[in-house]
Amino acid sequence: MGSKSSKNAKIWLSSPHMGGTEMKYIKEAFNTNWIAPLGKNVDEFENTLKEELGGKKEVVALSSGTAALHLSLIMANIKDGDEVLCQSFTFSATVNPIIYQRATPIFVDSEEDTWGMSPIHLETAIKDRIAIGKKPKAIMVVHLYGMPIKIEEISTIAKKYNITLIEDAAAALGATYNGQKCGTFGDFGVISFNGNKIITTSGGGTLICNNKKEKEKIIFLATQARDNAPHYEHSTIGYNYRLSNILAGIGRGQMEVLNAHIAKRRDNHSFYQKLFENINEVDLFKEPNSAHFSNHWLSVILIKENSKFNRKMLNEHLAEKNIETRPLWKPMHMQPVFNSYPYYGENVSETLFANGLCLPSGSNLLEEDRKTIAEQITQYFKPE
């Protein structure tokens, strides 16, 4: 799948990849004049997602993963002055909704196996906040790059202290931990359908919840919180967060190729595993054991700290050859906008940021592209 590339065509990190049936559902929406944020495409997209996630949870299709994170905090009753424990090693979209609610993010470092929130530092943070009279109201964890974190350990801690658990599984659709789908462990879960994800709706996301009552409330909040009255009556602040029926049509088509896209991304990871077998300066980010099944949304490497090579030079070398790569997330506790908030941990996330690089991983990556990538990476790491 994918179009033929020329020698000079850019090799993207992770570009949208249509399956071919998306237009059928889009045309259906136009032909029936259901182009608003409701209709058959929205309903069917939600039903297919529910089935994909195991059938026990409810899902609500929304305009973005960020909107879903925001509504998850509202559903968790996060308000002005509340504290939310948040993974530091993530994208800012995880944290911004905490600020929307005028709450305080408390950042927690990652652990080395999965790069997810460290259960040890998490419990330290909880005990410390309780000791000063500020028990956190929610924990927000992230399955980075499609890799399942130690979610069962995190979930046990959340239950122990009776704290709401929100799972940012933005990039982890199809990934599992001990056979259970990422996004279904927490009280709420979030998946993104941004243009660079495993599947896309151009822009969009979904909020995963426990039951139909919660789903009804989320839909109410996402459609301007209109009370049941013959006129426009509002007793709650609402939002315009529902997914368009047009974009949901793209999602329906994309769900038909989800498994194929995951298989291709995992195959890309195998390609990189073989490529770096004999390059001692590099460690490939991989599943720590069989409990973790990653969709390998992105394949990521760490260049060893004592190496003469570094991720900045490799990034620049590949950019010169029209190959897109990207540094790992700069931790939130290091960001100018967030660096005044409390942080619990050591320097795991800082080291990951300093030495890590995301490599082209799209499901539409061609064999010719992989050959070019292999040639250029081999050239960069060649012995002098």
Side-chain angles (χ1 to χ4, degrees):
M1 294 164 77
S3 58
K4 290 184 178 180
S5 63
S6 69
K7 283 280 184 183
N8 298 319
K10 183 159 185 172
I11 299 174
W12 297 98
L13 183 76
S14 179
S15 61
H17 185 193
M18 295 295 100
T21 62
E22 294 84 1
M23 282 304 300
K24 177 178 74 173
Y25 299 114
I26 293 170
K27 286 177 180 176
E28 183 180 299
F30 271 94
N31 291 340
T32 56
N33 204 33
W34 283 99
I35 59 172
L38 72 167
K40 184 180 178 182
N41 283 338
V42 173
D43 295 340
E44 290 303 318
F45 186 41
E46 289 178 342
N47 290 339
T48 309
L49 280 167
K50 179 178 178 176
E51 187 178 333
E52 164 62 25
L53 294 169
K56 295 180 181 178
K57 297 269 190 168
E58 297 293 332
V59 300
V60 183
L62 299 167
S63 56
S64 68
T66 308
L69 287 167
H70 188 196
L71 289 179
S72 74
L73 292 169
I74 294 169
M75 291 293 292
N77 200 32
I78 302 300
K79 295 179 179 176
D80 194 345
D82 290 337
E83 293 193 349
V84 177
L85 294 154
C86 182
Q87 193 164 306
S88 181
F89 190 50
T90 184
F91 180 51
S92 63
T94 307
V95 191
N96 287 336
I98 299 172
I99 306 299
Y100 300 165
Q101 289 304 103
R102 305 178 73 87
T104 301
I106 309 295
F107 294 117
V108 180
D109 199 5
S110 292
E111 53 89 22
E112 292 181 341
D113 287 351
T114 68
W115 303 356
M117 184 182 283
S118 162
I120 295 169
H121 293 312
L122 170 62
E123 191 152 25
T124 298
I126 293 171
K127 288 177 178 177
D128 188 62
R129 304 317 290 179
I130 290 174
I132 61 174
K134 294 184 177 181
K135 181 185 175 183
K137 286 186 68 174
I139 301 167
M140 194 174 283
V141 295
V142 189
H143 300 283
L144 287 156
Y145 307 113
M147 180 67 70
I149 65 169
K150 293 176 178 173
I151 189 62
E152 287 184 346
E153 289 184 43
I154 298 286
S155 183
T156 298
I157 293 169
K159 288 171 183 171
K160 177 180 176 182
Y161 293 95
N162 193 28
I163 300 174
T164 299
L165 178 59
I166 299 168
E167 240 182 306
D168 183 347
L173 181 61
T176 62
Y177 184 81
N178 280 333
Q180 184 175 335
K181 300 286 185 176
C182 291
T184 66
F185 288 86
D187 297 287
F188 300 99
V190 171
I191 292 170
S192 170
F193 305 113
N194 194 24
N196 62 2
K197 295 301 188 290
I198 288 276
I199 63 166
T200 184
T201 56
S202 175
T206 191
L207 180 50
I208 303 158
C209 58
N210 288 313
N211 52 57
K212 282 187 166 59
K213 186 176 180 182
E214 286 183 346
K215 177 173 180 173
E216 287 170 3
K217 185 174 180 182
I218 292 164
I219 291 173
F220 170 73
L221 292 169
T223 51
Q224 303 291 17
R226 291 175 298 194
D227 292 340
N228 185 17
H231 55 275
Y232 290 105
E233 184 83 7
H234 302 271
S235 53
T236 305
I237 294 296
Y239 305 87
N240 186 15
Y241 280 170
R242 208 65 163 105
L243 185 66
S244 152
N245 198 48
I246 299 292
L247 299 187
I250 300 174
R252 287 181 72 186
Q254 288 276 281
M255 285 299 291
E256 294 175 5
V257 293
L258 172 62
N259 291 333
H261 282 196
I262 292 172
K264 187 63 195 299
R265 299 226 181 205
R266 287 180 60 83
D267 186 60
N268 287 334
H269 187 264
S270 298
F271 154 74
Y272 285 119
Q273 203 160 17
K274 187 174 180 182
L275 176 61
F276 289 110
E277 265 177 355
N278 300 313
I279 300 177
N280 296 326
E281 293 88 352
V282 171
D283 288 323
L284 180 67
F285 182 39
K286 58 188 178 184
E287 294 138 325
N289 54 56
S290 60
H292 303 258
F293 177 87
S294 174
N295 63 23
H296 290 304
W297 169 56
L298 293 182
S299 288
V300 186
I301 57 169
L302 290 178
I303 298 179
K304 294 177 180 176
E305 288 192 86
N306 59 358
S307 172
K308 64 182 178 181
F309 303 101
N310 63 64
R311 59 102 164 150
K312 183 175 183 292
M313 289 168 57
L314 177 56
N315 171 269
E316 290 171 354
H317 170 79
L318 293 173
E320 287 173 4
K321 306 299 180 182
N322 228 6
I323 300 170
E324 183 185 26
T325 61
R326 199 166 291 174
L328 274 60
W329 305 123
K330 182 177 181 179
M332 293 300 103
H333 74 274
M334 296 173 66
Q335 298 284 355
V337 71
F338 298 129
N339 63 15
S340 63
Y341 294 106
Y343 170 69
Y344 292 84
E346 296 169 351
N347 63 351
V348 172
S349 56
E350 293 175 30
T351 301
L352 293 171
F353 169 60
N355 301 310
L357 196 67
C358 301
L359 302 175
S361 306
S363 51
N364 51 2
L365 208 60
L366 301 172
E367 203 55 49
E368 181 185 339
D369 298 329
R370 299 207 299 200
K371 184 180 178 183
T372 301
I373 292 165
E375 287 171 353
Q376 293 306 322
I377 286 177
T378 302
Q379 183 183 26
Y380 176 77
F381 286 104
K382 68 183 177 185
E384 291 182 350

